[in-house]
Amino acid sequence: MNYSWHLILMAIFYILSGANHLWKPELYFKMIPSFLVYKDFINFMTGFLQILFGASLLIPYYQSVASSSIIILLLLIFPSNLYMVFEKKARLGLPFWIVLLRLPLQIALIYWAYLYVN
């Protein structure tokens, strides 16, 4: 199989990001909006799905559905990025400009995944 470097990079990005959700869950609990309950479950599923979808990008049969699923997941977690903008304790000590930068970055990640939807 011949994969482009950017597809491999995207797969690695989601696999590592998902693994980080499982290795350091307390980091992500602060980013989950306070009105949501079951933060453990939300964080676990987000991490698990990122690993699953990232790995699935490397299986040609599942690449399109994995890319579509990543887009849906990114849309579902977008409120957490907005929460970080409006709730200082959710910013994890990051400068405000980096928190703001996450919003267009999320759009770029959606576009990146869209490139692999057939």
Side-chain angles (χ1 to χ4, degrees), residues 2-114:
N2 191 7
Y3 297 111
S4 63
W5 65 268
H6 38 87
L7 176 64
I8 294 169
L9 181 64
M10 182 166 51
I12 291 169
F13 172 78
Y14 285 105
I15 292 168
L16 292 178
S17 177
N20 201 48
H21 276 262
L22 305 179
W23 286 327
K24 298 182 180 181
E26 65 283 347
L27 181 71
Y28 297 93
F29 293 157
K30 295 175 186 175
M31 295 168 54
I32 299 172
S34 57
F35 60 85
L36 293 174
V37 293
Y38 306 115
K39 292 184 183 213
D40 286 339
F41 178 75
I42 292 169
N43 181 66
F44 175 81
M45 286 307 296
T46 302
F48 172 77
L49 292 174
Q50 286 181 350
I51 293 168
L52 176 67
F53 300 153
S56 296
L57 287 171
L58 299 175
I59 304 169
Y61 184 78
Y62 295 111
Q63 184 177 323
S64 183
V65 80
S67 299
S68 298
S69 299
I70 287 170
I71 292 169
I72 292 167
L73 182 62
L74 289 170
L75 291 171
L76 288 173
I77 64 173
F78 193 77
S80 288
N81 290 324
L82 288 175
Y83 182 66
M84 289 178 73
V85 169
F86 296 109
E87 186 62 52
K88 190 171 184 174
K89 68 177 181 167
R91 294 183 192 155
L92 310 173
L94 296 170
F96 186 67
W97 69 271
I98 291 178
V99 173
L100 284 177
L101 188 62
R102 289 174 58 94
L103 301 176
L105 176 62
Q106 195 89 354
I107 294 166
L109 291 173
I110 289 169
Y111 177 73
W112 192 13
Y114 178 74

